[in-house]
Amino acid sequence: MPESAASKPAEPFRSSIMQIEPQWIDYNGHLNMAYYNVMFDRAIDEFWLELGIGPVYKKERQGSTFTAECHVRYLREIHLGDPVQILVWLLEADDKRLHTFEEMRHGSEGWLSATSENMSLHMDMNARRVAAFPPDIQRRIAGIAKAHSALARPEGIGRKVAMPSKR
């Protein structure tokens, strides 16, 4: 008997498997740091579809999101030919903001390559100002945030950039 969505255990959102494009490889022979953000952004675009805030939402309801803050950690090199999958946790949300955490993993071997923690703002695209999500979208976001709150929190949330302290 198939497992119903209600009885299925919560898990982070999983992006499609993505491929690295040859022009993204830098002179060090690995994925250039800028393209980690491209891949994270593509995964967020997929996740936004689950939340109901993708391109159709922008066109029909004149709402979108802007990234206000981003912190990327580069943990292990990824190379041309490596498949990539990104896991996304919705850590917190309120009426105007989404706090997400993403892990970039090797698509077949599962090892962790990078993480990205982000704060996104909901925008009224007509006014070009931060605005509350519509009530139906707030309910959808709240449901996913609640499901994700039951998950183990991945390592690295809330990290800051700083030199290691000397003792």
PDB file of all heavy atoms in Angstrom, residues 83-105:
ATOM      1  N   PRO A  83      27.728  14.964 -10.460  1.00  0.00           N
ATOM      2  CA  PRO A  83      26.321  15.350 -10.338  1.00  0.00           C
ATOM      3  C   PRO A  83      26.111  16.024  -8.978  1.00  0.00           C
ATOM      4  O   PRO A  83      26.782  15.691  -8.003  1.00  0.00           O
ATOM      5  CB  PRO A  83      25.580  14.016 -10.427  1.00  0.00           C
ATOM      6  CG  PRO A  83      26.563  13.011  -9.902  1.00  0.00           C
ATOM      7  CD  PRO A  83      27.928  13.526 -10.291  1.00  0.00           C
ATOM      8  N   VAL A  84      25.204  16.971  -8.931  1.00  0.00           N
ATOM      9  CA  VAL A  84      24.964  17.738  -7.712  1.00  0.00           C
ATOM     10  C   VAL A  84      23.482  17.701  -7.369  1.00  0.00           C
ATOM     11  O   VAL A  84      22.626  17.845  -8.245  1.00  0.00           O
ATOM     12  CB  VAL A  84      25.426  19.210  -7.903  1.00  0.00           C
ATOM     13  CG1 VAL A  84      24.996  20.081  -6.745  1.00  0.00           C
ATOM     14  CG2 VAL A  84      26.931  19.276  -8.099  1.00  0.00           C
ATOM     15  N   GLN A  85      23.188  17.510  -6.087  1.00  0.00           N
ATOM     16  CA  GLN A  85      21.820  17.651  -5.580  1.00  0.00           C
ATOM     17  C   GLN A  85      21.873  18.543  -4.351  1.00  0.00           C
ATOM     18  O   GLN A  85      22.800  18.454  -3.550  1.00  0.00           O
ATOM     19  CB  GLN A  85      21.194  16.307  -5.219  1.00  0.00           C
ATOM     20  CG  GLN A  85      19.730  16.459  -4.827  1.00  0.00           C
ATOM     21  CD  GLN A  85      19.032  15.130  -4.651  1.00  0.00           C
ATOM     22  OE1 GLN A  85      19.546  14.224  -4.006  1.00  0.00           O
ATOM     23  NE2 GLN A  85      17.846  15.020  -5.227  1.00  0.00           N
ATOM     24  N   ILE A  86      20.872  19.397  -4.229  1.00  0.00           N
ATOM     25  CA  ILE A  86      20.834  20.341  -3.114  1.00  0.00           C
ATOM     26  C   ILE A  86      19.625  20.051  -2.248  1.00  0.00           C
ATOM     27  O   ILE A  86      18.513  19.877  -2.745  1.00  0.00           O
ATOM     28  CB  ILE A  86      20.837  21.789  -3.641  1.00  0.00           C
ATOM     29  CG1 ILE A  86      22.172  22.020  -4.362  1.00  0.00           C
ATOM     30  CG2 ILE A  86      20.608  22.788  -2.511  1.00  0.00           C
ATOM     31  CD1 ILE A  86      22.315  23.310  -5.073  1.00  0.00           C
ATOM     32  N   LEU A  87      19.879  19.970  -0.933  1.00  0.00           N
ATOM     33  CA  LEU A  87      18.819  19.794   0.057  1.00  0.00           C
ATOM     34  C   LEU A  87      18.530  21.158   0.671  1.00  0.00           C
ATOM     35  O   LEU A  87      19.464  21.918   0.950  1.00  0.00           O
ATOM     36  CB  LEU A  87      19.254  18.819   1.146  1.00  0.00           C
ATOM     37  CG  LEU A  87      19.233  17.337   0.778  1.00  0.00           C
ATOM     38  CD1 LEU A  87      20.257  16.999  -0.286  1.00  0.00           C
ATOM     39  CD2 LEU A  87      19.438  16.496   2.004  1.00  0.00           C
ATOM     40  N   VAL A  88      17.242  21.455   0.871  1.00  0.00           N
ATOM     41  CA  VAL A  88      16.839  22.763   1.390  1.00  0.00           C
ATOM     42  C   VAL A  88      15.962  22.571   2.627  1.00  0.00           C
ATOM     43  O   VAL A  88      14.984  21.827   2.580  1.00  0.00           O
ATOM     44  CB  VAL A  88      16.051  23.578   0.341  1.00  0.00           C
ATOM     45  CG1 VAL A  88      15.666  24.943   0.899  1.00  0.00           C
ATOM     46  CG2 VAL A  88      16.824  23.712  -0.967  1.00  0.00           C
ATOM     47  N   TRP A  89      16.338  23.255   3.710  1.00  0.00           N
ATOM     48  CA  TRP A  89      15.533  23.322   4.928  1.00  0.00           C
ATOM     49  C   TRP A  89      14.940  24.719   5.022  1.00  0.00           C
ATOM     50  O   TRP A  89      15.653  25.713   4.852  1.00  0.00           O
ATOM     51  CB  TRP A  89      16.397  23.117   6.170  1.00  0.00           C
ATOM     52  CG  TRP A  89      16.847  21.736   6.445  1.00  0.00           C
ATOM     53  CD1 TRP A  89      16.322  20.881   7.375  1.00  0.00           C
ATOM     54  CD2 TRP A  89      17.948  21.036   5.856  1.00  0.00           C
ATOM     55  NE1 TRP A  89      17.031  19.700   7.378  1.00  0.00           N
ATOM     56  CE2 TRP A  89      18.029  19.771   6.454  1.00  0.00           C
ATOM     57  CE3 TRP A  89      18.881  21.363   4.853  1.00  0.00           C
ATOM     58  CZ2 TRP A  89      18.984  18.829   6.103  1.00  0.00           C
ATOM     59  CZ3 TRP A  89      19.832  20.425   4.494  1.00  0.00           C
ATOM     60  CH2 TRP A  89      19.878  19.187   5.117  1.00  0.00           C
ATOM     61  N   LEU A  90      13.657  24.802   5.310  1.00  0.00           N
ATOM     62  CA  LEU A  90      13.034  26.079   5.652  1.00  0.00           C
ATOM     63  C   LEU A  90      13.103  26.158   7.171  1.00  0.00           C
ATOM     64  O   LEU A  90      12.338  25.508   7.884  1.00  0.00           O
ATOM     65  CB  LEU A  90      11.590  26.137   5.153  1.00  0.00           C
ATOM     66  CG  LEU A  90      10.817  27.410   5.455  1.00  0.00           C
ATOM     67  CD1 LEU A  90      11.536  28.645   4.921  1.00  0.00           C
ATOM     68  CD2 LEU A  90       9.410  27.321   4.880  1.00  0.00           C
ATOM     69  N   LEU A  91      14.070  26.922   7.667  1.00  0.00           N
ATOM     70  CA  LEU A  91      14.339  26.971   9.109  1.00  0.00           C
ATOM     71  C   LEU A  91      13.304  27.781   9.862  1.00  0.00           C
ATOM     72  O   LEU A  91      12.856  27.392  10.936  1.00  0.00           O
ATOM     73  CB  LEU A  91      15.726  27.553   9.366  1.00  0.00           C
ATOM     74  CG  LEU A  91      16.898  26.797   8.754  1.00  0.00           C
ATOM     75  CD1 LEU A  91      18.191  27.556   8.988  1.00  0.00           C
ATOM     76  CD2 LEU A  91      16.976  25.384   9.319  1.00  0.00           C
ATOM     77  N   GLU A  92      12.971  28.933   9.326  1.00  0.00           N
ATOM     78  CA  GLU A  92      11.999  29.824   9.957  1.00  0.00           C
ATOM     79  C   GLU A  92      11.330  30.662   8.877  1.00  0.00           C
ATOM     80  O   GLU A  92      11.900  30.878   7.808  1.00  0.00           O
ATOM     81  CB  GLU A  92      12.679  30.772  10.946  1.00  0.00           C
ATOM     82  CG  GLU A  92      13.251  30.102  12.176  1.00  0.00           C
ATOM     83  CD  GLU A  92      13.826  31.127  13.131  1.00  0.00           C
ATOM     84  OE1 GLU A  92      13.027  31.753  13.866  1.00  0.00           O
ATOM     85  OE2 GLU A  92      15.055  31.307  13.124  1.00  0.00           O
ATOM     86  N   ALA A  93      10.160  31.156   9.201  1.00  0.00           N
ATOM     87  CA  ALA A  93       9.444  32.040   8.289  1.00  0.00           C
ATOM     88  C   ALA A  93       8.521  32.932   9.106  1.00  0.00           C
ATOM     89  O   ALA A  93       8.026  32.528  10.158  1.00  0.00           O
ATOM     90  CB  ALA A  93       8.633  31.235   7.282  1.00  0.00           C
ATOM     91  N   ASP A  94       8.340  34.136   8.619  1.00  0.00           N
ATOM     92  CA  ASP A  94       7.299  34.995   9.170  1.00  0.00           C
ATOM     93  C   ASP A  94       6.509  35.552   7.995  1.00  0.00           C
ATOM     94  O   ASP A  94       6.598  35.007   6.883  1.00  0.00           O
ATOM     95  CB  ASP A  94       7.865  36.074  10.121  1.00  0.00           C
ATOM     96  CG  ASP A  94       8.782  37.092   9.460  1.00  0.00           C
ATOM     97  OD1 ASP A  94       8.763  37.226   8.215  1.00  0.00           O
ATOM     98  OD2 ASP A  94       9.506  37.784  10.191  1.00  0.00           O
ATOM     99  N   ASP A  95       5.755  36.595   8.205  1.00  0.00           N
ATOM    100  CA  ASP A  95       4.884  37.067   7.131  1.00  0.00           C
ATOM    101  C   ASP A  95       5.644  37.683   5.954  1.00  0.00           C
ATOM    102  O   ASP A  95       5.093  37.817   4.871  1.00  0.00           O
ATOM    103  CB  ASP A  95       3.827  38.034   7.671  1.00  0.00           C
ATOM    104  CG  ASP A  95       4.421  39.306   8.247  1.00  0.00           C
ATOM    105  OD1 ASP A  95       5.584  39.295   8.697  1.00  0.00           O
ATOM    106  OD2 ASP A  95       3.713  40.330   8.237  1.00  0.00           O
ATOM    107  N   LYS A  96       6.936  38.011   6.127  1.00  0.00           N
ATOM    108  CA  LYS A  96       7.702  38.677   5.067  1.00  0.00           C
ATOM    109  C   LYS A  96       9.051  38.026   4.757  1.00  0.00           C
ATOM    110  O   LYS A  96       9.691  38.395   3.784  1.00  0.00           O
ATOM    111  CB  LYS A  96       7.973  40.130   5.449  1.00  0.00           C
ATOM    112  CG  LYS A  96       6.728  40.965   5.645  1.00  0.00           C
ATOM    113  CD  LYS A  96       7.085  42.367   6.118  1.00  0.00           C
ATOM    114  CE  LYS A  96       5.812  43.134   6.450  1.00  0.00           C
ATOM    115  NZ  LYS A  96       6.121  44.453   7.000  1.00  0.00           N
ATOM    116  N   ARG A  97       9.506  37.099   5.603  1.00  0.00           N
ATOM    117  CA  ARG A  97      10.862  36.570   5.465  1.00  0.00           C
ATOM    118  C   ARG A  97      10.889  35.050   5.465  1.00  0.00           C
ATOM    119  O   ARG A  97      10.074  34.414   6.132  1.00  0.00           O
ATOM    120  CB  ARG A  97      11.751  37.063   6.611  1.00  0.00           C
ATOM    121  CG  ARG A  97      11.961  38.561   6.607  1.00  0.00           C
ATOM    122  CD  ARG A  97      12.718  39.000   7.820  1.00  0.00           C
ATOM    123  NE  ARG A  97      11.914  38.702   9.015  1.00  0.00           N
ATOM    124  CZ  ARG A  97      12.225  39.092  10.238  1.00  0.00           C
ATOM    125  NH1 ARG A  97      13.323  39.766  10.458  1.00  0.00           N
ATOM    126  NH2 ARG A  97      11.440  38.808  11.252  1.00  0.00           N
ATOM    127  N   LEU A  98      11.893  34.518   4.761  1.00  0.00           N
ATOM    128  CA  LEU A  98      12.152  33.085   4.731  1.00  0.00           C
ATOM    129  C   LEU A  98      13.630  32.872   5.051  1.00  0.00           C
ATOM    130  O   LEU A  98      14.497  33.448   4.398  1.00  0.00           O
ATOM    131  CB  LEU A  98      11.850  32.500   3.343  1.00  0.00           C
ATOM    132  CG  LEU A  98      10.427  32.685   2.833  1.00  0.00           C
ATOM    133  CD1 LEU A  98      10.341  32.276   1.371  1.00  0.00           C
ATOM    134  CD2 LEU A  98       9.450  31.893   3.677  1.00  0.00           C
ATOM    135  N   HIS A  99      13.895  32.047   6.063  1.00  0.00           N
ATOM    136  CA  HIS A  99      15.266  31.708   6.467  1.00  0.00           C
ATOM    137  C   HIS A  99      15.500  30.276   6.019  1.00  0.00           C
ATOM    138  O   HIS A  99      14.856  29.351   6.518  1.00  0.00           O
ATOM    139  CB  HIS A  99      15.396  31.859   7.980  1.00  0.00           C
ATOM    140  CG  HIS A  99      16.745  31.538   8.518  1.00  0.00           C
ATOM    141  ND1 HIS A  99      16.968  31.400   9.872  1.00  0.00           N
ATOM    142  CD2 HIS A  99      17.952  31.312   7.932  1.00  0.00           C
ATOM    143  CE1 HIS A  99      18.247  31.119  10.087  1.00  0.00           C
ATOM    144  NE2 HIS A  99      18.868  31.056   8.920  1.00  0.00           N
ATOM    145  N   THR A 100      16.402  30.096   5.059  1.00  0.00           N
ATOM    146  CA  THR A 100      16.664  28.772   4.508  1.00  0.00           C
ATOM    147  C   THR A 100      18.121  28.366   4.717  1.00  0.00           C
ATOM    148  O   THR A 100      19.002  29.209   4.875  1.00  0.00           O
ATOM    149  CB  THR A 100      16.351  28.721   2.999  1.00  0.00           C
ATOM    150  OG1 THR A 100      17.118  29.729   2.320  1.00  0.00           O
ATOM    151  CG2 THR A 100      14.875  28.910   2.730  1.00  0.00           C
ATOM    152  N   PHE A 101      18.333  27.059   4.700  1.00  0.00           N
ATOM    153  CA  PHE A 101      19.674  26.486   4.766  1.00  0.00           C
ATOM    154  C   PHE A 101      19.736  25.413   3.694  1.00  0.00           C
ATOM    155  O   PHE A 101      18.815  24.596   3.570  1.00  0.00           O
ATOM    156  CB  PHE A 101      19.946  25.874   6.146  1.00  0.00           C
ATOM    157  CG  PHE A 101      21.364  25.435   6.338  1.00  0.00           C
ATOM    158  CD1 PHE A 101      22.342  26.339   6.725  1.00  0.00           C
ATOM    159  CD2 PHE A 101      21.729  24.116   6.117  1.00  0.00           C
ATOM    160  CE1 PHE A 101      23.650  25.943   6.904  1.00  0.00           C
ATOM    161  CE2 PHE A 101      23.044  23.703   6.292  1.00  0.00           C
ATOM    162  CZ  PHE A 101      24.010  24.625   6.685  1.00  0.00           C
ATOM    163  N   GLU A 102      20.823  25.422   2.927  1.00  0.00           N
ATOM    164  CA  GLU A 102      20.976  24.483   1.828  1.00  0.00           C
ATOM    165  C   GLU A 102      22.292  23.724   1.960  1.00  0.00           C
ATOM    166  O   GLU A 102      23.297  24.295   2.378  1.00  0.00           O
ATOM    167  CB  GLU A 102      20.973  25.221   0.492  1.00  0.00           C
ATOM    168  CG  GLU A 102      19.705  26.018   0.252  1.00  0.00           C
ATOM    169  CD  GLU A 102      19.925  27.090  -0.783  1.00  0.00           C
ATOM    170  OE1 GLU A 102      20.065  26.745  -1.970  1.00  0.00           O
ATOM    171  OE2 GLU A 102      19.960  28.271  -0.399  1.00  0.00           O
ATOM    172  N   GLU A 103      22.253  22.466   1.579  1.00  0.00           N
ATOM    173  CA  GLU A 103      23.460  21.648   1.484  1.00  0.00           C
ATOM    174  C   GLU A 103      23.619  21.203   0.034  1.00  0.00           C
ATOM    175  O   GLU A 103      22.685  20.651  -0.544  1.00  0.00           O
ATOM    176  CB  GLU A 103      23.361  20.390   2.349  1.00  0.00           C
ATOM    177  CG  GLU A 103      23.421  20.623   3.823  1.00  0.00           C
ATOM    178  CD  GLU A 103      23.397  19.323   4.614  1.00  0.00           C
ATOM    179  OE1 GLU A 103      23.038  18.249   4.063  1.00  0.00           O
ATOM    180  OE2 GLU A 103      23.722  19.391   5.807  1.00  0.00           O
ATOM    181  N   MET A 104      24.799  21.443  -0.527  1.00  0.00           N
ATOM    182  CA  MET A 104      25.130  20.923  -1.851  1.00  0.00           C
ATOM    183  C   MET A 104      25.853  19.595  -1.644  1.00  0.00           C
ATOM    184  O   MET A 104      26.874  19.549  -0.951  1.00  0.00           O
ATOM    185  CB  MET A 104      26.035  21.890  -2.616  1.00  0.00           C
ATOM    186  CG  MET A 104      26.425  21.380  -3.996  1.00  0.00           C
ATOM    187  SD  MET A 104      27.545  22.497  -4.882  1.00  0.00           S
ATOM    188  CE  MET A 104      26.441  23.868  -5.188  1.00  0.00           C
ATOM    189  N   ARG A 105      25.288  18.556  -2.208  1.00  0.00           N
ATOM    190  CA  ARG A 105      25.859  17.221  -2.039  1.00  0.00           C
ATOM    191  C   ARG A 105      26.169  16.606  -3.401  1.00  0.00           C
ATOM    192  O   ARG A 105      25.498  16.912  -4.388  1.00  0.00           O
ATOM    193  CB  ARG A 105      24.898  16.318  -1.271  1.00  0.00           C
ATOM    194  CG  ARG A 105      24.733  16.779   0.171  1.00  0.00           C
ATOM    195  CD  ARG A 105      24.057  15.742   1.040  1.00  0.00           C
ATOM    196  NE  ARG A 105      24.193  16.101   2.434  1.00  0.00           N
ATOM    197  CZ  ARG A 105      25.188  15.731   3.224  1.00  0.00           C
ATOM    198  NH1 ARG A 105      26.154  14.967   2.759  1.00  0.00           N
ATOM    199  NH2 ARG A 105      25.236  16.113   4.483  1.00  0.00           N
TER     200      ARG A 105
END
